[in-house]
Amino acid sequence: MFFGASLSWNDILFMLSGAVTTIAITLASVAIGTSLGVLFGLARAGSPWWISWPIGGILDIFRSIPLLIQLVLFNSFNSMFRLHWPTYLVACLCLGIYAAAFCTEIVRSGVTAVPTTTRRAARSLGLTWFQEVVSITLPMATRIVFPSWIGLALGVMKDTALVLWIGIVELLRSSQIVTTRVQEPLLVLSIAGLIYFLMSFPIARLGAQLEKRWRIQ
């Protein structure tokens, strides 16, 4: 028991299991969002307008609609079309596409920030488009967009709290369940906030250290 409340170690462990679910959804969603974001970002940065604009228009839809509505719609379509996908997969796909909508613009801005003369010089040395992108453009763009990408990853971690609305027991939902039992919302939510902080702080510090190292180089 903690602070005279009926909160037990089993409750803490239950919340930590929810935190593990939060981390798993975050990792999967960020991986999906980053992969799609790099592909779409490169397409938007180097394609003619009749390719770039439709991609941007579609992604604007996902950026504009609140994530909670997207989660509910994705889950409803899953039932409506009888796909029988696990809610965990629905959450990861929805969050991944949502993250991709933002990551695309992050990547596009990084690629367009690479000097055109540098890219032309690489091509003049005989590099193919793929070699130039992998060896020159993406490494330089990564240093530019990395702080924004870290912010996106941390945002996705916090946005995972919304998946409780489609029945997933992540950290916030597990905290609500514990609160219902012990009737100590302030204590339970304070512990949940601390767990969120402990998950987010190392990522933020790692990003700051990498950014500092790259700036020195």
Side-chain angles (χ1 to χ4, degrees):
M1 299 177 65
F2 300 87
F3 305 108
S6 57
L7 188 68
S8 66
W9 279 112
N10 287 332
D11 296 322
I12 299 297
L13 292 176
F14 180 64
M15 292 173 64
L16 290 176
S17 69
V20 171
T21 302
T22 293
I23 293 174
I25 295 175
T26 300
L27 292 176
S29 302
V30 170
I32 294 171
T34 302
S35 300
L36 294 177
V38 170
L39 291 176
F40 293 149
L42 289 173
R44 291 214 65 199
S47 299
W49 66 268
W50 48 271
I51 294 178
S52 177
W53 287 11
I55 294 176
I58 293 173
L59 294 179
D60 281 341
I61 296 175
F62 289 98
R63 280 198 299 269
S64 302
I65 299 176
L67 179 57
L68 178 57
I69 295 178
Q70 294 185 43
L71 282 167
V72 173
L73 289 177
F74 266 69
N75 196 48
S76 298
F77 292 152
N78 183 39
S79 301
M80 187 183 305
F81 296 110
R82 299 180 180 179
L83 299 176
H84 304 296
W85 289 350
T87 52
Y88 175 83
L89 177 59
V90 173
C92 291
L93 288 176
C94 185
L95 276 167
I97 295 173
Y98 183 76
F102 290 93
C103 189
T104 295
E105 292 306 303
I106 292 174
V107 173
R108 184 191 62 80
S109 64
V111 171
T112 55
V114 177
T116 305
T117 53
T118 302
R119 303 190 65 180
R120 289 177 178 172
R123 297 296 295 273
S124 67
L125 293 174
L127 273 67
T128 64
W129 177 86
F130 181 78
Q131 290 173 329
E132 176 260 315
V133 167
V134 172
S135 303
I136 306 296
T137 302
L138 284 182
M140 295 181 67
T142 298
R143 298 189 179 201
I144 298 171
V145 306
F146 189 71
S148 298
W149 181 85
I150 287 292
L152 175 63
L154 292 175
V156 170
M157 178 178 289
K158 290 181 288 186
D159 287 339
T160 57
L162 296 176
V163 303
L164 67 87
W165 290 97
I166 60 175
I168 297 178
V169 182
E170 40 65 67
L171 177 54
L172 183 59
R173 179 55 180 158
S174 64
S175 302
Q176 290 180 337
I177 294 173
V178 172
T179 299
T180 301
R181 191 186 71 80
V182 303
Q183 296 299 310
E184 292 284 349
L186 183 61
L187 175 60
V188 174
L189 291 178
S190 296
I191 294 173
L194 177 61
I195 295 174
Y196 273 115
F197 173 77
L198 293 176
M199 292 190 298
S200 303
F201 184 73
I203 299 174
R205 293 310 305 163
L206 175 62
Q209 289 299 321
L210 288 175
E211 184 183 1
K212 182 179 179 180
R213 181 180 301 177
W214 286 340
R215 190 183 300 117
I216 294 175
Q217 293 175 352

